[in-house]
Amino acid sequence: MSALEKNAPQKSDLLPESLRDDFPILSGDVLDGHPLVFLDNAASTQRPRQVIDAICRVYERDYSNVHRGIHTLSERSTEQYEQAREKVRALIGAEHVEEIVFTQGTTASINLVAQSWGGANLKPGDEILLTAMEHHSNLVPWQQIASKTGAVLRHVPITETGLLDIATLDQLLGPRTRLVALTSVSNTLGTINPISTIAAQAHAVGALVLVDAAQSVPHQPTNVRTMGADFMAFSGHKMLGPSGIGVLYGKRELLDAMPPFMGGGSMIQEVGLESFTPAALPAKFEAGTPPIVPAIAMSAAIDYLSGIGLDAIHRHQQALVKRAYQGLSQITGLRILGPAPEHRAGLVSFAFEKIHAHEFAQVLNDQFGVAVRAGHHCTQPLHATLGITASTRASFYLYNRLADIDRLLEGVAAVQAKFAPQGRRRKARGG
Amino acid sequence: MDQEELYQEHILDHYEDPFHRGTLEAATHAHQEKNPLCGDVVRIELELDAQGKICDLYFTGEGCVISQASASMLLEQMHGKTIDDLKQFSADDMLQLYGPRLTPNRQKCCLLSWKVLQSVVHSPVDGAS
């Protein structure tokens, strides 16, 4: 393990372990006798006390429906809900607060754009450019709208090392390309994609750019304007907030021109029996009672993350992923999916030829207290491209520490030993 | 749940040395399914005679220990039985045959081959008499 020590992460890159005290679940007894090592953060993260307290505070003192009443509680809830919108604007560097639409999550945000913008703008033969590494939530909504409108889907392939093959962009982008929809960070490969470069090329042919930022906004600084995003989607529960809240960012002139997606209360200016006039942004896209408390709790999560600093969080995870990558690289028979640590966010997926991902997840959980994801991580086409059906994924966040990585590596070695072929023979029945 | 119990020796034996893993040239029926949760696949090919007896059956597939070992155990159990036996063999019977108690998600792994076998009699192979 000398190579490991030589390349040991700088102490200064790591966040203080004391922040773990903010997360009640990390000290809880999830599994008998095992401290929890939670490495499934790309699926959903845990919450600090500050976020849990914010949820209780609103329900105990401030809760009512928003944008409705003139009573005190409605004013308090409305004010906090709208403050949350401003926090999100500042977090991602959007120009106007009405460019922030609250949704149920990344999936809902992408569906909103596909149905509203896509339904109004796509014509037969128009092209939507996706990539081979998209999550199902950035594939299926486009498949649905393409089949409805006659639009055509194309895909940027990946290189051998798990990067987007951006040399193909010249060929794939053209006058028919209306939209490029891609992830900023692959939830399976961990690849950090060069969004601003790709966006510049897309804009040069007149295409819009939608960024699935579910795996990047929680982990690194984000600026929609320098990225060149026309639309961006992300979720609260992947950044210490509750589930049921997400964000759609859209450039004001684009959102303004789009028809409403869902109809109902809140999204209207005026309603008659036969017709309605939609409300102005962002209410136009927030039909019905919105996720009020989740939005307010998400703003508490943003406060928490900003207090630590997303730069510092990114550096911390780079240190963790470097250690994990180096450790896993030394295990014979293990295939790491995706690029080297310098092109990678804080997650590592891997596969063994002879041992299924389920065995890793099961034994890591039962014997080591390590929670990882096993399966296709909602990227079936990517797994097919890689020639596998499932992989095991360890994904990190600010509360993970080097000891967690070491526990993972210890567990992986144990699984490998346990399931190595041993020349077993099935016993004759009844014998 | 005790992890050691989950991967009992006889289960690992079935995984490494499965019963009738392969294809069946004389197959009259064939069916395959995928567990959408994890991508595990099991395909079963079987030969039924005119009396509804399962003369022979084989499986292929890809997946975790539980999905593949349970397929082997199920085929061994059903070899030489009839369609009626098969129809009467419930999901609970399958979980019992497997042995160790499974969490709901892992039950899906265990029941994949059982689901395929329940459907296979409705999937005649083209050209088979």
Side-chain angles (χ1 to χ4, degrees):
Chain A
M1 298 298 244
S2 63
L4 227 165
E5 269 150 38
K6 198 170 58 196
N7 293 311
Q10 297 294 307
K11 256 223 153 77
S12 58
D13 287 339
L14 293 167
L15 294 167
E17 283 192 18
S18 55
L19 68 80
R20 292 170 58 85
D21 297 341
D22 292 333
F23 293 81
I25 205 166
L26 294 180
S27 57
D29 189 12
V30 178
L31 255 178
D32 296 340
H34 294 299
L36 172 66
V37 177
F38 189 77
L39 303 181
D40 194 19
N41 295 288
S44 199
T45 57
Q46 302 297 345
R47 274 122 215 86
R49 172 61 62 200
Q50 289 83 338
V51 169
I52 298 167
D53 285 349
I55 295 168
C56 294
R57 193 202 65 231
V58 183
Y59 280 128
E60 287 173 3
R61 300 202 339 235
D62 305 323
Y63 181 78
S64 170
N65 212 331
V66 292
H67 304 140
R68 300 284 199 285
I70 50 172
H71 56 76
T72 302
L73 290 183
S74 182
E75 277 176 5
R76 277 192 202 161
S77 285
T78 304
E79 191 186 339
Q80 291 176 36
Y81 181 71
E82 290 306 324
Q83 276 171 358
R85 198 188 305 279
E86 167 56 25
K87 288 254 169 70
V88 171
R89 184 207 65 75
L91 177 75
I92 63 171
E95 196 171 355
H96 309 289
V97 73
E98 63 269 32
E99 295 178 321
I100 307 301
V101 175
F102 284 128
T103 66
Q104 278 83 52
T106 304
T107 299
S109 298
I110 296 172
N111 275 276
L112 191 164
V113 177
Q115 291 298 319
S116 169
W117 176 85
N121 291 284
L122 291 171
K123 292 179 209 58
D126 282 352
E127 291 177 5
I128 301 165
L129 183 57
L130 309 169
T131 84
M133 61 168 79
E134 296 310 310
H135 188 281
H136 295 166
S137 64
N138 200 27
L139 289 174
V140 179
W142 304 113
Q143 293 167 355
Q144 289 175 305
I145 197 66
S147 76
K148 214 182 264 181
T149 58
V152 177
L153 304 179
R154 305 190 76 185
H155 302 88
V156 183
I158 57 169
T159 65
E160 289 273 302
T161 53
L163 302 175
L164 280 182
D165 189 356
I166 55 173
T168 63
L169 280 175
D170 275 340
Q171 228 186 326
L172 287 166
L173 287 167
R176 315 214 74 165
T177 314
R178 302 297 310 279
L179 178 81
V180 179
L182 80 170
T183 187
S184 47
V185 167
S186 162
N187 76 320
T188 301
L189 302 170
T191 315
I192 300 176
N193 289 325
I195 297 295
S196 56
T197 308
I198 295 168
Q201 278 187 263
H203 290 149
V205 299
L208 297 175
V209 175
L210 177 142
V211 181
D212 169 359
Q215 299 293 350
S216 67
V217 166
H219 302 285
Q220 61 192 56
T222 301
N223 185 301
V224 283
R225 284 182 281 177
T226 55
M227 280 166 98
D230 297 296
F231 298 107
M232 190 173 82
F234 59 101
S235 297
H237 70 96
K238 292 193 202 289
M239 50 189 292
L240 311 181
S243 60
I245 179 75
V247 171
L248 171 66
Y249 159 81
K251 278 201 182 132
R252 187 165 65 181
E253 59 272 26
L254 292 169
L255 293 177
D256 254 335
M258 282 157 55
F261 173 41
M262 287 198 283
S266 287
M267 52 72 71
I268 48 86
Q269 185 69 45
E270 200 173 353
V271 181
L273 285 175
E274 303 294 337
S275 63
F276 72 96
T277 320
L281 292 175
K284 177 167 120 179
F285 291 110
E286 294 184 3
T289 295
I292 301 165
V293 179
I296 296 168
M298 184 187 185
S299 79
I302 292 172
D303 285 342
Y304 186 87
L305 292 170
S306 305
I308 292 167
L310 282 147
D311 263 321
I313 291 169
H314 182 62
R315 277 198 303 276
H316 175 78
Q317 294 189 103
Q318 291 286 297
L320 296 180
V321 81
K322 199 170 165 192
R323 170 85 136 228
Y325 189 93
Q326 285 169 347
L328 291 169
S329 306
Q330 292 174 11
I331 298 176
T332 317
L334 181 145
R335 172 185 175 195
I336 296 178
L337 311 182
E342 55 268 30
H343 299 292
R344 171 187 284 278
L347 68 92
V348 189
S349 301
F350 57 90
F352 269 87
E353 199 163 319
K354 295 234 152 54
I355 306 171
H356 193 275
H358 277 171
E359 270 66 74
F360 282 95
Q362 190 82 56
V363 177
L364 283 169
N365 179 73
D366 295 353
Q367 288 193 342
F368 293 86
V370 178
V372 295
R373 177 79 180 268
H376 53 60
H377 325 312
C378 297
T379 56
Q380 283 184 356
L382 173 61
H383 276 78
T385 303
L386 297 168
I388 52 179
T389 55
S391 58
T392 306
R393 179 183 69 191
S395 52
F396 316 127
Y397 210 8
L398 70 173
Y399 38 66
N400 292 123
R401 46 190 172 173
L402 291 177
D404 293 352
I405 311 294
D406 294 343
R407 187 80 175 151
L408 168 74
L409 295 172
E410 191 190 337
V412 168
V415 174
Q416 199 189 16
K418 183 181 177 71
F419 292 101
Q422 292 172 9
R424 295 169 180 277
R425 306 299 296 175
R426 182 166 36 84
K427 315 245 177 335
R429 293 204 71 201
Chain B
M1 183 171 41
D2 182 352
Q3 186 272 329
E4 284 306 331
E5 196 189 310
L6 193 56
Y7 295 108
Q8 287 171 5
E9 289 300 317
H10 76 281
I11 292 167
L12 292 172
D13 292 347
H14 269 275
Y15 181 69
E16 210 175 313
D17 179 28
F19 175 83
H20 281 205
R21 189 180 184 91
T23 55
L24 180 60
E25 208 157 302
T28 56
H29 295 71
H31 184 62
Q32 95 174 38
E33 273 189 42
K34 198 173 189 169
N35 179 349
L37 195 75
C38 57
D40 287 1
V41 185
V42 168
R43 176 183 177 82
I44 295 177
E45 301 183 0
L46 111 183
E47 184 191 353
L48 271 185
D49 70 11
Q51 284 71 49
K53 184 175 168 241
I54 301 168
C55 304
D56 208 352
L57 75 179
Y58 273 80
F59 84 100
T60 50
E62 203 183 324
C64 62
V65 166
I66 297 178
S67 74
Q68 302 302 303
S70 60
S72 167
M73 294 161 92
L74 176 64
L75 264 61
E76 189 182 48
Q77 174 81 13
M78 285 298 152
H79 191 242
K81 299 274 170 59
T82 66
I83 291 197
D84 286 339
D85 296 333
L86 191 159
K87 283 180 181 159
Q88 275 170 26
F89 192 77
S90 69
D92 277 345
D93 293 335
M94 180 68 224
L95 293 171
Q96 251 178 33
L97 175 68
Y98 184 76
R101 209 161 56 84
L102 298 169
T103 56
N105 269 335
R106 299 313 301 270
Q107 286 184 12
K108 289 177 192 156
C109 304
C110 181
L111 292 174
L112 178 61
S113 55
W114 175 83
K115 275 174 66 188
V116 174
L117 191 60
Q118 292 298 326
S119 305
V120 74
V121 290
H122 307 297
S123 305
V125 175
D126 285 345
S129 51

